[in-house]
Amino acid sequence: MKNTKLVLGLAVIAMGFASCKDEKAEQADKTVDTYVMYVDSVGNVAAEDAKGNWQGIEATYELKSGEAEAAIANMKDNAAAQERLDASRAKYEALKAKYDAEKAEQEIVAVPVNAKQQLRNALFGQGKIGDDMNFSWVNAANIHSVYQQFIHTAEDNKDSYSREDWDEIKLMYEALDSRKNTVEKEGLSSDDNRKIAALKFKFAPMLKVNRMGAKSGEMKRAKE
């Protein structure tokens, strides 16, 4: 009789342990479910709303991610749960990368282009010449058209340029001429060379006169 009671007691205890383990596994699954559902909900938020509240979203994500990781660590057979967690993590990282890229793009657009860069963009094309003064993109095939755009732009806008503008134009013109010396050794055709020489012959005196005029005008205004 005593043996029977002992066996029954052990059985009850075993059932209790099993029940406890089942509850823990079930709770762990629910924690992972919560994490997965949260990531899904982030993906359903309107892009503008998500970007505007990304700091809060990320804080909540880190909390739920940590809870899910801890829950999985306590699971005996966690392969399926780990797979779900990894899939949701990849989904979240893709969303984060998307919003980060959009934010960076907006910040670039929001930064006003300074007057010097605006002038360079007009003379050479958008973003062609930056602070590094790199003219390596100018080659034998395009240098004639580069001179054409530069000189025609300067001629068309000569009345609106300040002394600082003309100083910048002179600096860019000399840098372009320096690049031409290199390009001549890299196969510049004699025909393009003649066309460039004609453009330079017309532009050089205009540059000198307008630059001096802008400087004189500035000095006169300063005295007044």
Side-chain angles (χ1 to χ4, degrees):
M1 188 68 170
K2 288 182 179 180
N3 289 337
T4 302
K5 288 181 179 180
L6 179 60
V7 171
L8 289 172
L10 292 173
V12 170
I13 292 172
M15 289 176 63
F17 279 130
S19 176
C20 183
K21 287 181 180 179
D22 289 343
E23 287 178 6
K24 286 183 178 180
E26 185 177 342
Q27 185 59 44
D29 274 331
K30 287 181 179 179
T31 302
V32 174
D33 284 342
T34 300
Y35 168 79
V36 171
M37 286 188 292
Y38 178 74
V39 174
D40 288 343
S41 71
V42 173
N44 293 328
V45 174
E48 288 303 316
D49 293 337
K51 283 184 285 187
N53 191 39
W54 192 255
Q55 188 173 358
I57 289 173
E58 193 153 29
T60 304
Y61 170 82
E62 293 295 338
L63 176 63
K64 294 189 179 299
S65 176
E67 291 173 346
E69 287 281 6
I72 286 179
N74 292 325
M75 294 174 69
K76 185 176 181 181
D77 184 10
N78 63 4
Q82 184 67 56
E83 186 175 339
R84 292 170 60 213
L85 187 144
D86 290 343
S88 285
R89 180 181 288 116
K91 182 176 180 180
Y92 177 82
E93 291 299 330
L95 287 169
K96 184 175 184 297
K98 173 187 173 185
Y99 293 135
D100 285 347
E102 291 177 356
K103 182 181 178 182
E105 185 176 340
Q106 288 176 344
E107 288 174 349
I108 291 172
V109 172
V111 175
V113 179
N114 61 47
K116 182 182 290 187
Q117 188 59 54
Q118 286 180 332
L119 180 59
R120 291 178 179 183
N121 290 344
L123 294 169
F124 294 105
Q126 189 69 30
K128 290 292 183 66
I129 297 295
D131 291 336
D132 59 357
M133 296 278 288
N134 185 353
F135 280 81
S136 62
W137 56 277
V138 179
N139 53 48
N142 65 18
I143 191 168
H144 176 227
S145 63
V146 173
Y147 267 100
Q148 281 183 311
Q149 177 173 339
F150 182 96
I151 291 174
H152 291 161
T153 299
E155 287 176 336
D156 292 342
N157 297 280
K158 64 180 184 294
D159 295 332
S160 64
Y161 290 145
S162 66
R163 181 182 64 82
E164 289 81 3
D165 291 334
W166 283 112
D167 287 345
E168 179 68 14
I169 291 169
K170 180 175 182 292
L171 177 67
M172 293 295 104
Y173 184 63
E174 290 172 350
L176 180 57
D177 279 348
S178 177
R179 177 60 183 171
K180 177 178 176 291
N181 293 335
T182 300
V183 171
E184 284 180 340
K185 302 171 186 176
E186 297 176 348
L188 178 62
S189 70
S190 56
D191 185 44
D192 279 346
N193 209 350
R194 283 194 298 271
K195 291 177 181 177
I196 291 171
L199 288 168
K200 286 169 58 64
F201 180 78
K202 179 182 178 183
F203 181 69
M206 190 202 82
L207 171 61
K208 183 176 181 179
V209 170
N210 281 275
R211 184 166 172 264
M212 290 177 62
K215 187 174 182 179
S216 298
E218 190 173 277
M219 291 175 65
K220 183 179 179 180
R221 286 191 297 274
K223 290 179 180 179
E224 293 174 351

